[in-house]
Amino acid sequence: MVRVIMLSPPGAGKGTHSRWLTQQTGAAHISSGDLLRAEVARGSGLGRQVAAYTARGDLVPDELIFSILVPAVVAAARDTGGYVLDGFPRTMPQALRAAELGLELDLTSDAVIYLSAPEEELVRRLLDRARRDGRADDTLGVIRHRLAVFARETAPLVEYYRGRGILLKLSTDRPEADVRADLRDWLQARGLKPSGAGGIPDVPRRTSAGNAAGD
Ligand code: ADP
């Protein structure tokens, strides 16, 4: 079973590739953004606190994140034996505490997949998604702010996980099928097989295709 962290700036495809990994492996998909948006939609007191941050593109304080994420990860790992963490951890304090909790709860991550694409491509995809889905934080100003927050708070995690020897960097500025093929090869090379029999199915490589934002 896989225990994977997806690390990526907004628009690089972490939602799309997390969903694919989840389908292929049976591990639970845990999206911090989806969990936070669900809390906001419920209109709870916690949801109102969360919305104050997400609407501006600022990070939600670590305490709130851990109170929402930890029970979800523990339940997912119990139910499926694995997880694909989409959007968490996102700051060095989150990463360090997640590593401690991982050891304590025997839920350590096997791999961190870092998805990257040029900034203007990220902006283009997110504006595209805004036209499709109308997410409240997909306006140009908030998108630019989220990218700056990523560069300041989240990008340092790349070196941290590289140092731990579990980082895979993938460019997503190319057809989605090619990214998937690399992901599949890498998981198989590390002996991380899907839960079902037969291994991860082959993904045909394509020579050209669009690559919409799916996160
Ligand atoms: P994106 O990657 O496109 O910004 P997400 O759905 O992952 O989209 O996150 C949306 C928002 O939710 C973020 O801008 C931030 O406000 C909040 N958020 C998500 N994950 C975290 C996290 N781990 N820590 C703090 N805030 C988070």
Side-chain angles (χ1 to χ4, degrees):
M1 185 45 81
V2 296
R3 291 177 177 173
V4 176
I5 293 170
M6 300 296 272
L7 187 63
S8 110
K14 68 182 174 335
T16 302
H17 294 295
S18 294
R19 276 187 291 277
W20 181 79
L21 271 177
T22 302
Q23 282 161 11
Q24 299 299 313
T25 63
H29 177 197
I30 302 173
S31 159
S32 53
D34 285 352
L35 287 170
L36 293 171
R37 281 184 287 278
E39 200 60 51
V40 172
R42 260 195 293 279
S44 63
L46 182 59
R48 279 191 294 277
Q49 284 182 59
V50 165
Y53 297 95
T54 55
R56 291 195 302 263
D58 284 329
L59 294 180
V60 173
D62 291 351
E63 287 313 312
L64 283 182
I65 289 292
F66 276 87
S67 70
I68 293 174
L69 262 284
V70 173
V73 176
V74 169
R78 186 193 54 224
D79 295 346
T80 71
Y83 55 74
V84 178
L85 284 183
D86 166 357
F88 170 86
R90 230 172 165 109
T91 64
M92 272 311 290
Q94 286 182 14
L96 295 174
R97 190 152 150 213
E100 269 172 31
L101 280 171
L103 284 175
E104 237 170 70
L105 303 172
D106 200 18
L107 289 174
T108 306
S109 309
D110 308 304
V112 177
I113 317 265
Y114 169 44
L115 304 175
S116 70
E119 178 146 334
E120 287 319 305
E121 174 62 15
L122 299 175
V123 173
R124 190 192 65 71
R125 290 181 193 173
L126 291 166
L127 289 176
D128 226 43
R129 180 175 74 185
R131 279 187 284 276
R132 270 199 326 274
D133 304 345
R135 220 175 87 174
D137 56 349
D138 278 345
T139 60
L140 187 57
V142 178
I143 287 170
R144 294 261 181 228
H145 183 63
R146 277 154 56 213
L147 289 168
V149 169
F150 176 86
R152 192 178 65 232
E153 303 287 344
T154 313
L157 274 61
V158 172
E159 284 315 311
Y160 167 67
Y161 288 121
R162 203 195 304 279
R164 286 184 43 192
I166 56 173
L167 189 84
L168 171 67
K169 180 177 177 186
L170 292 178
S171 162
T172 61
D173 193 20
R174 57 196 174 128
E176 214 171 280
D178 289 1
V179 180
R180 288 180 181 180
D182 282 354
L183 265 177
R184 178 209 57 211
D185 291 351
W186 190 71
L187 287 172
Q188 286 184 337
R190 295 185 66 111
L192 299 172
K193 303 278 191 209
S195 56
I200 302 173
D202 251 12
V203 185
R205 287 178 190 265
R206 285 179 294 165
T207 47
S208 66
N211 200 351
D215 45 356

